Amino acid sequence: MALSAGARERANPVADSPKVLGDARAHWADHCAVCHANNGSGDTEMGKHMYPPAPDMRQAGTQDLTDGELFYIIQNGYPPDWDAFLGKWHEPR
């Protein structure tokens, strides 16, 4: 996978906590599950009919990505023809 230099090493800017995990689950349900499904399988009408289909987020190919790689893909899209979903992301202060 060709990502920008440094993406793999980039640290997650958000500290882990029960509140952060709860907020992340709510965000997933509202913004990601329509394509990726609540369980991450990608088995949704929209996810199955995308090109390429939404990946199964539970598989090793995704689970083995670092936080930095995942952030890069969500922010910039991957491959280049996928949409970016966090174009207006702001680093926590």
Side-chain angles (χ1 to χ4, degrees):
M1 175 182 323
L3 301 177
S4 75
R8 182 170 185 69
E9 293 78 26
R10 185 172 181 179
N12 188 334
V14 181
D16 188 13
S17 73
K19 180 178 180 349
V20 166
L21 293 176
D23 290 349
R25 284 186 194 97
H27 181 88
W28 176 274
D30 288 346
H31 302 281
C32 308
V34 67
C35 295
H36 293 285
N38 280 325
N39 67 0
S41 68
D43 189 19
T44 67
E45 285 304 309
M46 183 161 310
K48 291 187 288 189
H49 293 97
M50 295 173 64
Y51 181 80
D56 186 333
M57 306 297 282
R58 305 167 302 174
Q59 298 299 313
T62 304
Q63 291 294 310
D64 292 343
L65 296 171
T66 67
D67 287 349
E69 289 169 322
L70 291 168
F71 181 84
Y72 180 90
I73 292 166
I74 294 167
Q75 186 176 43
N76 299 291
Y78 183 86
D81 57 341
W82 286 6
D83 289 334
F85 293 98
L86 285 180
K88 296 183 179 180
W89 175 265
H90 298 284
E91 294 289 340
R93 293 178 190 199

Coordinates of all heavy atoms in Angstrom, one line a residue:
M1 N 0.8 -1.2 0.0 CA 0.0 0.0 0.0 C 0.9 1.2 0.0 O 1.8 1.3 0.8 CB -0.9 0.0 1.2 CG -1.7 1.2 1.4 SD -2.8 1.2 2.9 CE -3.3 -0.4 3.1
A2 N 0.7 2.1 -0.9 CA 1.5 3.3 -1.0 C 0.8 4.5 -0.3 O -0.2 5.0 -0.8 CB 1.7 3.7 -2.5
L3 N 1.3 4.9 0.8 CA 0.7 6.0 1.6 C 1.8 7.0 1.7 O 3.0 6.8 1.4 CB 0.3 5.6 3.0 CG -0.8 4.5 3.0 CD1 -1.1 4.1 4.4 CD2 -2.1 4.9 2.3
S4 N 1.5 8.2 2.2 CA 2.5 9.3 2.3 C 3.5 8.9 3.3 O 3.3 8.1 4.2 CB 1.8 10.6 2.7 OG 1.5 10.5 4.1
A5 N 4.7 9.5 3.1 CA 5.8 9.2 4.0 C 5.4 9.6 5.4 O 4.8 10.7 5.6 CB 7.0 10.0 3.6
G6 N 5.7 8.8 6.4 CA 5.4 9.1 7.8 C 4.0 8.7 8.2 O 3.7 8.7 9.4
A7 N 3.1 8.2 7.3 CA 1.8 7.9 7.7 C 1.8 6.7 8.7 O 1.1 6.7 9.7 CB 0.9 7.5 6.5
R8 N 2.6 5.7 8.5 CA 2.7 4.5 9.3 C 3.1 4.9 10.7 O 2.6 4.3 11.7 CB 3.6 3.5 8.7 CG 3.7 2.2 9.5 CD 4.5 1.1 8.8 NE 4.5 -0.1 9.5 CZ 3.5 -0.9 9.7 NH1 2.3 -0.5 9.2 NH2 3.6 -2.0 10.3
E9 N 4.0 5.8 10.9 CA 4.5 6.2 12.2 C 3.7 7.2 13.0 O 3.9 7.5 14.1 CB 6.0 6.7 12.1 CG 7.0 5.7 11.6 CD 6.9 5.4 10.1 OE1 6.5 6.3 9.4 OE2 7.3 4.2 9.8
R10 N 2.7 7.8 12.3 CA 2.0 8.9 12.9 C 1.2 8.3 14.1 O 0.5 7.3 14.0 CB 1.0 9.5 11.9 CG 0.3 10.7 12.5 CD -0.5 11.4 11.4 NE -1.2 12.5 12.0 CZ -2.0 13.3 11.4 NH1 -2.1 13.2 10.1 NH2 -2.5 14.3 12.0
A11 N 1.3 9.0 15.2 CA 0.6 8.6 16.4 C -0.9 9.1 16.4 O -1.2 10.1 15.8 CB 1.3 9.2 17.7
N12 N -1.7 8.4 17.1 CA -3.1 8.8 17.2 C -3.1 10.0 18.1 O -2.6 10.0 19.3 CB -3.9 7.6 17.9 CG -5.4 7.9 17.9 OD1 -5.8 9.1 17.9 ND2 -6.2 6.9 17.9
P13 N -3.7 11.1 17.6 CA -3.7 12.4 18.4 C -4.7 12.4 19.5 O -4.8 13.3 20.4 CB -4.0 13.5 17.4 CG -4.8 12.8 16.4 CD -4.3 11.3 16.3
V14 N -5.6 11.4 19.6 CA -6.7 11.3 20.6 C -6.3 10.3 21.6 O -6.1 9.1 21.3 CB -8.0 11.0 19.9 CG1 -9.1 11.0 20.9 CG2 -8.3 12.0 18.8
A15 N -6.3 10.7 22.9 CA -6.0 9.8 24.0 C -7.2 8.8 24.2 O -8.3 9.2 24.1 CB -5.7 10.5 25.3
D16 N -6.9 7.5 24.4 CA -7.9 6.5 24.6 C -8.6 6.7 26.0 O -7.9 7.0 27.0 CB -7.2 5.1 24.6 CG -8.1 4.0 24.6 OD1 -9.3 4.2 24.4 OD2 -7.7 2.9 24.8
S17 N -9.9 6.6 26.0 CA -10.6 6.7 27.2 C -12.0 6.2 26.9 O -12.4 6.0 25.8 CB -10.8 8.2 27.7 OG -11.7 8.9 26.9
P18 N -12.8 5.8 28.0 CA -14.1 5.3 27.7 C -15.0 6.3 27.0 O -15.8 5.9 26.1 CB -14.7 5.0 29.1 CG -13.4 4.7 29.9 CD -12.4 5.7 29.4
K19 N -14.9 7.6 27.3 CA -15.7 8.6 26.5 C -15.3 8.6 25.1 O -16.2 8.7 24.2 CB -15.5 10.0 27.2 CG -16.3 11.0 26.4 CD -16.2 12.4 27.0 CE -17.0 13.4 26.3 NZ -17.6 13.2 25.0
V20 N -14.0 8.6 24.8 CA -13.6 8.6 23.4 C -14.1 7.4 22.6 O -14.6 7.5 21.5 CB -12.0 8.7 23.3 CG1 -11.5 8.4 21.9 CG2 -11.5 10.1 23.7
L21 N -14.0 6.3 23.3 CA -14.5 5.0 22.6 C -16.0 5.1 22.4 O -16.5 4.7 21.3 CB -14.1 3.8 23.4 CG -12.6 3.5 23.5 CD1 -12.3 2.3 24.4 CD2 -12.0 3.3 22.1
G22 N -16.7 5.6 23.3 CA -18.2 5.8 23.2 C -18.5 6.8 22.0 O -19.4 6.5 21.2
D23 N -17.8 7.9 22.0 CA -18.0 8.9 20.9 C -17.6 8.3 19.6 O -18.3 8.5 18.6 CB -17.1 10.1 21.2 CG -17.6 11.0 22.3 OD1 -18.7 10.7 22.9 OD2 -16.8 11.9 22.8
A24 N -16.6 7.5 19.5 CA -16.1 6.8 18.3 C -17.2 5.8 17.8 O -17.5 5.8 16.6 CB -14.8 6.1 18.5
R25 N -17.8 5.1 18.7 CA -18.8 4.1 18.3 C -20.0 4.9 17.8 O -20.7 4.4 16.8 CB -19.2 3.3 19.5 CG -18.2 2.2 19.8 CD -18.7 1.3 20.9 NE -17.7 0.5 21.4 CZ -17.0 0.8 22.5 NH1 -17.2 1.8 23.3 NH2 -16.0 0.0 22.9
A26 N -20.4 6.0 18.4 CA -21.6 6.8 17.9 C -21.2 7.4 16.6 O -22.1 7.4 15.7 CB -21.9 7.9 18.9
H27 N -20.0 7.9 16.4 CA -19.6 8.4 15.1 C -19.7 7.3 14.0 O -20.2 7.6 12.9 CB -18.2 9.0 15.2 CG -17.8 9.6 13.9 ND1 -18.1 10.9 13.5 CD2 -17.1 9.1 12.8 CE1 -17.6 11.2 12.3 NE2 -17.0 10.1 11.9
W28 N -19.2 6.2 14.3 CA -19.2 5.0 13.4 C -20.6 4.7 13.0 O -20.9 4.6 11.8 CB -18.5 3.8 14.0 CG -18.6 2.6 13.1 CD1 -19.7 1.7 13.1 CD2 -17.6 2.1 12.2 NE1 -19.4 0.7 12.1 CE2 -18.1 1.0 11.6 CE3 -16.4 2.6 11.8 CZ2 -17.4 0.3 10.6 CZ3 -15.7 1.9 10.8 CH2 -16.2 0.8 10.3
A29 N -21.5 4.6 13.9 CA -22.9 4.3 13.7 C -23.6 5.3 12.8 O -24.3 5.0 11.9 CB -23.7 4.1 15.0
D30 N -23.2 6.6 13.0 CA -23.8 7.7 12.2 C -23.2 7.9 10.9 O -23.9 8.4 9.9 CB -23.7 9.0 13.0 CG -24.7 9.1 14.2 OD1 -25.6 8.2 14.3 OD2 -24.5 9.9 15.1
H31 N -21.9 7.7 10.7 CA -21.2 8.1 9.5 C -20.5 7.0 8.7 O -20.2 7.2 7.6 CB -20.2 9.2 9.9 CG -20.7 10.4 10.5 ND1 -21.4 11.4 9.8 CD2 -20.8 10.7 11.8 CE1 -21.8 12.3 10.7 NE2 -21.5 11.9 11.9
C32 N -20.3 5.9 9.3 CA -19.5 4.8 8.7 C -20.3 3.5 8.4 O -20.1 2.9 7.4 CB -18.3 4.5 9.5 SG -17.3 5.9 10.0
A33 N -21.2 3.2 9.3 CA -21.9 2.0 9.2 C -22.8 1.8 8.0 O -23.0 0.7 7.5 CB -22.8 1.7 10.5
V34 N -23.2 2.9 7.4 CA -24.0 2.8 6.2 C -23.3 2.1 5.1 O -23.9 1.3 4.3 CB -24.5 4.2 5.7 CG1 -23.3 5.1 5.2 CG2 -25.5 4.1 4.6
C35 N -22.0 2.2 5.0 CA -21.2 1.4 4.0 C -20.5 0.2 4.7 O -20.4 -0.9 4.1 CB -20.1 2.3 3.4 SG -20.8 3.6 2.4
H36 N -19.9 0.4 5.8 CA -19.1 -0.7 6.5 C -19.9 -1.6 7.4 O -19.3 -2.6 7.8 CB -18.0 0.0 7.2 CG -17.0 0.7 6.3 ND1 -16.1 0.0 5.6 CD2 -16.8 2.0 6.1 CE1 -15.3 0.9 4.9 NE2 -15.8 2.1 5.2
A37 N -21.1 -1.3 7.7 CA -22.0 -2.1 8.6 C -21.5 -1.8 10.1 O -20.4 -1.5 10.3 CB -22.0 -3.6 8.3
N38 N -22.5 -2.0 11.0 CA -22.2 -1.8 12.4 C -21.1 -2.7 12.9 O -20.3 -2.4 13.7 CB -23.4 -2.0 13.3 CG -24.3 -0.7 13.3 OD1 -23.8 0.4 13.2 ND2 -25.6 -0.9 13.3
N39 N -21.0 -3.9 12.3 CA -20.0 -4.9 12.7 C -18.7 -4.8 11.9 O -17.8 -5.6 12.1 CB -20.5 -6.3 12.7 CG -20.8 -6.8 11.2 OD1 -20.6 -6.1 10.3 ND2 -21.3 -8.0 11.2
G40 N -18.6 -3.9 10.9 CA -17.4 -3.7 10.1 C -17.3 -4.6 8.9 O -16.3 -4.5 8.2
S41 N -18.3 -5.4 8.7 CA -18.2 -6.4 7.6 C -18.3 -5.8 6.2 O -17.8 -6.5 5.2 CB -19.3 -7.4 7.8 OG -20.6 -6.8 7.5
G42 N -18.8 -4.7 6.0 CA -19.0 -4.1 4.7 C -20.3 -4.7 4.0 O -20.5 -4.4 2.9
D43 N -21.0 -5.5 4.7 CA -22.1 -6.2 4.2 C -23.4 -5.4 4.3 O -24.3 -5.7 5.1 CB -22.3 -7.6 4.9 CG -23.4 -8.5 4.2 OD1 -23.7 -8.2 3.0 OD2 -23.9 -9.4 4.8
T44 N -23.4 -4.3 3.5 CA -24.6 -3.4 3.5 C -24.9 -3.2 2.0 O -24.1 -3.5 1.1 CB -24.4 -2.0 4.1 OG1 -23.4 -1.3 3.3 CG2 -23.9 -2.2 5.5
E45 N -26.2 -2.8 1.7 CA -26.5 -2.6 0.3 C -25.6 -1.6 -0.3 O -25.1 -1.8 -1.4 CB -28.0 -2.1 0.2 CG -29.0 -3.2 0.4 CD -28.8 -4.4 -0.6 OE1 -28.6 -4.2 -1.8 OE2 -28.7 -5.5 -0.1
M46 N -25.3 -0.5 0.4 CA -24.4 0.5 -0.2 C -23.0 0.0 -0.3 O -22.3 0.2 -1.3 CB -24.4 1.8 0.6 CG -23.6 2.9 0.0 SD -23.9 4.6 0.5 CE -25.6 4.8 0.3
G47 N -22.5 -0.6 0.8 CA -21.1 -1.1 0.8 C -20.8 -2.1 -0.2 O -19.7 -2.1 -0.9
K48 N -21.8 -3.0 -0.5 CA -21.6 -4.1 -1.5 C -21.6 -3.6 -2.9 O -21.0 -4.2 -3.8 CB -22.6 -5.2 -1.4 CG -22.5 -6.0 -0.1 CD -23.5 -7.1 -0.1 CE -24.9 -6.7 0.1 NZ -25.9 -7.8 0.4
H49 N -22.2 -2.4 -3.1 CA -22.4 -1.9 -4.5 C -21.4 -0.7 -4.8 O -21.6 -0.1 -5.8 CB -23.8 -1.5 -4.7 CG -24.7 -2.7 -4.8 ND1 -25.4 -3.1 -3.7 CD2 -25.0 -3.6 -5.7 CE1 -26.1 -4.2 -4.0 NE2 -25.8 -4.6 -5.2
M50 N -20.5 -0.5 -3.9 CA -19.5 0.6 -4.2 C -18.4 -0.1 -5.1 O -18.3 -1.3 -5.2 CB -18.8 1.0 -2.9 CG -19.8 1.8 -2.0 SD -19.1 2.1 -0.4 CE -17.8 3.2 -0.8
Y51 N -17.7 0.8 -5.8 CA -16.5 0.2 -6.5 C -15.3 0.9 -6.0 O -15.2 2.1 -6.2 CB -16.7 0.4 -8.0 CG -15.5 -0.2 -8.7 CD1 -15.4 -1.5 -8.9 CD2 -14.4 0.6 -9.1 CE1 -14.3 -2.1 -9.5 CE2 -13.3 0.1 -9.7 CZ -13.2 -1.3 -9.9 OH -12.1 -1.8 -10.4
P52 N -14.3 0.2 -5.5 CA -14.5 -1.2 -5.0 C -15.4 -1.3 -3.8 O -15.7 -0.3 -3.2 CB -13.1 -1.6 -4.7 CG -12.4 -0.4 -4.3 CD -13.0 0.7 -5.1
P53 N -15.9 -2.5 -3.5 CA -16.8 -2.7 -2.4 C -16.1 -2.3 -1.1 O -14.9 -2.3 -1.0 CB -17.1 -4.2 -2.4 CG -16.8 -4.7 -3.7 CD -15.7 -3.8 -4.3
A54 N -16.9 -1.8 -0.1 CA -16.4 -1.5 1.2 C -15.7 -2.7 1.8 O -16.2 -3.8 1.7 CB -17.5 -1.0 2.1
P55 N -14.5 -2.5 2.3 CA -13.7 -3.6 2.8 C -14.3 -4.1 4.1 O -15.0 -3.4 4.9 CB -12.3 -3.0 3.1 CG -12.5 -1.6 3.3 CD -13.7 -1.2 2.4
D56 N -14.0 -5.4 4.4 CA -14.3 -6.0 5.7 C -13.3 -5.5 6.7 O -12.1 -5.9 6.7 CB -14.3 -7.5 5.6 CG -14.8 -8.2 6.9 OD1 -14.7 -7.6 8.0 OD2 -15.3 -9.3 6.7
M57 N -13.7 -4.6 7.6 CA -12.8 -4.0 8.5 C -12.3 -4.9 9.6 O -11.4 -4.6 10.3 CB -13.5 -2.8 9.2 CG -14.1 -1.7 8.2 SD -12.8 -1.0 7.2 CE -12.2 0.2 8.4
R58 N -12.9 -6.1 9.6 CA -12.5 -7.1 10.7 C -11.3 -8.0 10.2 O -10.7 -8.7 11.0 CB -13.7 -8.0 11.0 CG -14.9 -7.2 11.4 CD -16.2 -8.1 11.4 NE -16.4 -8.7 10.1 CZ -17.3 -9.5 9.8 NH1 -18.1 -10.0 10.7 NH2 -17.5 -10.0 8.6
Q59 N -11.0 -7.9 8.9 CA -9.9 -8.7 8.4 C -8.5 -8.2 8.7 O -8.3 -7.0 9.0 CB -10.1 -8.9 6.9 CG -11.4 -9.5 6.5 CD -11.5 -10.9 7.0 OE1 -10.6 -11.7 6.9 NE2 -12.7 -11.2 7.6
A60 N -7.6 -9.1 8.7 CA -6.2 -8.7 9.0 C -5.6 -7.6 8.2 O -4.9 -6.7 8.7 CB -5.3 -10.0 8.9
G61 N -6.0 -7.5 6.9 CA -5.5 -6.4 6.1 C -5.8 -5.0 6.6 O -5.1 -4.1 6.4
T62 N -6.9 -4.9 7.3 CA -7.3 -3.6 7.9 C -6.9 -3.6 9.4 O -6.3 -2.6 9.8 CB -8.8 -3.4 7.9 OG1 -9.3 -3.5 6.5 CG2 -9.2 -2.1 8.4
Q63 N -7.1 -4.7 10.1 CA -6.7 -4.7 11.5 C -5.2 -4.5 11.8 O -4.8 -4.0 12.8 CB -7.1 -6.0 12.2 CG -8.6 -6.2 12.3 CD -9.2 -5.2 13.2 OE1 -8.8 -5.0 14.3 NE2 -10.3 -4.5 12.8
D64 N -4.4 -4.8 10.8 CA -2.9 -4.7 10.9 C -2.4 -3.3 10.6 O -1.2 -3.0 10.8 CB -2.2 -5.7 10.1 CG -2.4 -7.2 10.6 OD1 -2.8 -7.3 11.7 OD2 -2.1 -8.1 9.8
L65 N -3.3 -2.4 10.1 CA -2.9 -1.1 9.8 C -2.7 -0.3 11.1 O -3.4 -0.5 12.1 CB -3.9 -0.3 9.0 CG -4.2 -0.9 7.6 CD1 -5.4 -0.2 6.9 CD2 -2.9 -0.7 6.7
T66 N -1.7 0.6 11.1 CA -1.5 1.5 12.3 C -2.5 2.6 12.3 O -3.2 2.8 11.3 CB -0.1 2.1 12.2 OG1 0.0 3.0 11.1 CG2 1.0 1.1 12.1
D67 N -2.6 3.2 13.5 CA -3.5 4.4 13.6 C -3.2 5.4 12.5 O -4.1 6.0 11.9 CB -3.4 5.0 15.0 CG -4.0 4.2 16.1 OD1 -4.8 3.2 15.8 OD2 -3.8 4.5 17.2
G68 N -1.9 5.6 12.3 CA -1.5 6.6 11.3 C -2.0 6.3 9.9 O -2.4 7.1 9.1
E69 N -1.8 5.0 9.5 CA -2.3 4.5 8.2 C -3.8 4.7 8.1 O -4.3 5.1 7.0 CB -1.8 3.1 8.0 CG -0.3 3.0 7.8 CD 0.2 1.5 7.8 OE1 -0.4 0.7 8.6 OE2 1.1 1.2 7.1
L70 N -4.5 4.3 9.1 CA -6.0 4.4 9.1 C -6.4 5.9 8.9 O -7.3 6.2 8.1 CB -6.6 3.8 10.3 CG -6.5 2.2 10.4 CD1 -6.9 1.8 11.7 CD2 -7.4 1.6 9.3
F71 N -5.8 6.7 9.7 CA -6.1 8.1 9.6 C -5.8 8.7 8.2 O -6.7 9.4 7.7 CB -5.3 8.9 10.7 CG -5.6 10.4 10.7 CD1 -6.6 10.9 11.4 CD2 -4.8 11.3 10.0 CE1 -6.9 12.2 11.4 CE2 -5.1 12.6 10.0 CZ -6.1 13.1 10.7
Y72 N -4.7 8.3 7.7 CA -4.4 8.8 6.3 C -5.4 8.4 5.3 O -5.9 9.2 4.5 CB -3.0 8.3 5.9 CG -2.6 8.7 4.5 CD1 -1.9 9.9 4.3 CD2 -3.0 8.0 3.4 CE1 -1.6 10.4 3.1 CE2 -2.6 8.5 2.1 CZ -1.9 9.6 2.0 OH -1.6 10.1 0.7
I73 N -5.8 7.1 5.4 CA -6.8 6.6 4.4 C -8.2 7.3 4.6 O -8.8 7.7 3.6 CB -7.0 5.1 4.6 CG1 -5.7 4.4 4.1 CG2 -8.2 4.5 3.8 CD1 -5.6 2.9 4.5
I74 N -8.6 7.5 5.8 CA -9.9 8.1 6.1 C -9.8 9.6 5.6 O -10.7 10.1 5.0 CB -10.3 8.0 7.6 CG1 -10.5 6.6 7.9 CG2 -11.5 8.9 7.9 CD1 -10.6 6.3 9.4
Q75 N -8.7 10.3 5.9 CA -8.6 11.7 5.6 C -8.4 11.9 4.1 O -8.9 12.9 3.5 CB -7.4 12.3 6.3 CG -7.3 13.8 6.1 CD -6.2 14.4 7.0 OE1 -5.1 13.9 7.1 NE2 -6.5 15.5 7.6
N76 N -7.6 11.0 3.4 CA -7.2 11.3 2.0 C -7.9 10.4 1.0 O -7.8 10.7 -0.2 CB -5.7 11.2 1.9 CG -5.0 12.2 2.8 OD1 -5.0 13.4 2.5 ND2 -4.4 11.7 3.8
G77 N -8.5 9.3 1.4 CA -9.0 8.3 0.5 C -7.9 7.4 0.1 O -6.7 7.7 0.1
Y78 N -8.3 6.2 -0.4 CA -7.3 5.2 -0.9 C -8.1 4.1 -1.5 O -9.1 3.6 -1.0 CB -6.5 4.6 0.3 CG -5.5 3.6 -0.2 CD1 -4.2 4.1 -0.6 CD2 -5.7 2.3 -0.4 CE1 -3.3 3.3 -1.2 CE2 -4.8 1.4 -0.9 CZ -3.6 1.9 -1.3 OH -2.7 1.1 -1.8
P79 N -7.8 3.6 -2.7 CA -6.8 4.2 -3.5 C -7.2 5.6 -3.9 O -8.3 6.1 -3.5 CB -6.8 3.3 -4.7 CG -7.7 2.2 -4.5 CD -8.4 2.4 -3.2
P80 N -6.5 6.3 -4.8 CA -6.8 7.7 -5.1 C -8.2 8.0 -5.5 O -8.6 9.1 -5.4 CB -5.7 8.0 -6.2 CG -4.6 7.1 -6.0 CD -5.3 5.8 -5.5
D81 N -8.9 7.0 -6.0 CA -10.3 7.3 -6.5 C -11.3 7.1 -5.4 O -12.5 7.4 -5.7 CB -10.6 6.4 -7.7 CG -10.5 4.9 -7.4 OD1 -9.8 4.5 -6.5 OD2 -11.0 4.1 -8.2
W82 N -10.9 6.7 -4.2 CA -11.9 6.7 -3.1 C -12.1 8.1 -2.6 O -11.2 8.9 -2.6 CB -11.4 5.7 -2.0 CG -11.5 4.3 -2.3 CD1 -11.9 3.7 -3.5 CD2 -11.3 3.2 -1.4 NE1 -11.8 2.3 -3.4 CE2 -11.5 2.0 -2.1 CE3 -10.9 3.2 -0.1 CZ2 -11.3 0.8 -1.5 CZ3 -10.7 2.0 0.5 CH2 -10.9 0.8 -0.2
D83 N -13.2 8.3 -2.0 CA -13.5 9.6 -1.4 C -12.7 9.7 -0.1 O -12.5 8.7 0.6 CB -15.0 9.8 -1.1 CG -15.8 10.0 -2.4 OD1 -15.2 10.5 -3.3 OD2 -17.0 9.7 -2.3
A84 N -12.4 10.9 0.3 CA -11.8 11.2 1.6 C -13.0 11.6 2.5 O -13.9 12.3 2.1 CB -10.8 12.4 1.5
F85 N -12.9 11.2 3.7 CA -14.1 11.4 4.6 C -13.8 12.3 5.8 O -14.7 12.7 6.5 CB -14.6 10.1 5.2 CG -15.2 9.3 4.1 CD1 -14.5 8.3 3.4 CD2 -16.5 9.5 3.6 CE1 -15.1 7.5 2.4 CE2 -17.0 8.8 2.5 CZ -16.3 7.8 2.0
L86 N -12.5 12.7 6.0 CA -12.2 13.7 7.0 C -11.5 14.9 6.5 O -10.6 15.4 7.1 CB -11.3 13.0 8.1 CG -12.0 12.0 9.0 CD1 -11.0 11.4 10.0 CD2 -13.1 12.7 9.8
G87 N -11.9 15.4 5.4 CA -11.2 16.5 4.8 C -11.1 17.7 5.6 O -10.3 18.6 5.5
K88 N -12.1 17.8 6.6 CA -12.1 19.0 7.5 C -11.7 18.6 8.9 O -12.0 19.3 9.8 CB -13.6 19.5 7.5 CG -13.9 20.1 6.1 CD -15.3 20.7 6.1 CE -15.6 21.2 4.7 NZ -16.9 21.8 4.6
W89 N -10.9 17.6 9.0 CA -10.4 17.1 10.3 C -9.5 18.2 10.9 O -8.7 18.8 10.2 CB -9.6 15.8 10.2 CG -9.0 15.4 11.4 CD1 -7.7 15.6 11.8 CD2 -9.6 14.6 12.5 NE1 -7.5 15.1 13.0 CE2 -8.6 14.5 13.5 CE3 -10.8 14.1 12.7 CZ2 -8.8 13.8 14.6 CZ3 -11.1 13.4 13.9 CH2 -10.0 13.2 14.8
H90 N -9.7 18.4 12.2 CA -8.8 19.3 12.9 C -8.1 18.6 14.0 O -8.8 17.8 14.7 CB -9.6 20.5 13.5 CG -10.3 21.3 12.5 ND1 -9.6 22.2 11.7 CD2 -11.5 21.4 12.0 CE1 -10.4 22.8 10.8 NE2 -11.6 22.3 11.0
E91 N -6.9 18.8 14.2 CA -6.1 18.1 15.3 C -6.7 18.6 16.6 O -7.1 19.8 16.8 CB -4.6 18.5 15.2 CG -3.9 18.0 14.0 CD -3.7 16.5 14.1 OE1 -3.8 15.9 15.1 OE2 -3.5 15.9 13.0
P92 N -6.8 17.7 17.6 CA -7.3 18.2 18.9 C -6.3 19.2 19.5 O -5.1 19.2 19.2 CB -7.2 16.9 19.8 CG -7.2 15.8 18.8 CD -6.5 16.3 17.6
R93 N -6.9 20.1 20.3 CA -6.0 21.1 20.9 C -5.6 20.8 22.3 O -6.2 20.1 23.0 CB -6.8 22.4 20.9 CG -7.0 23.0 19.5 CD -7.8 24.2 19.6 NE -8.2 24.5 18.2 CZ -8.5 25.7 17.8 NH1 -8.6 26.7 18.6 NH2 -8.9 25.9 16.6

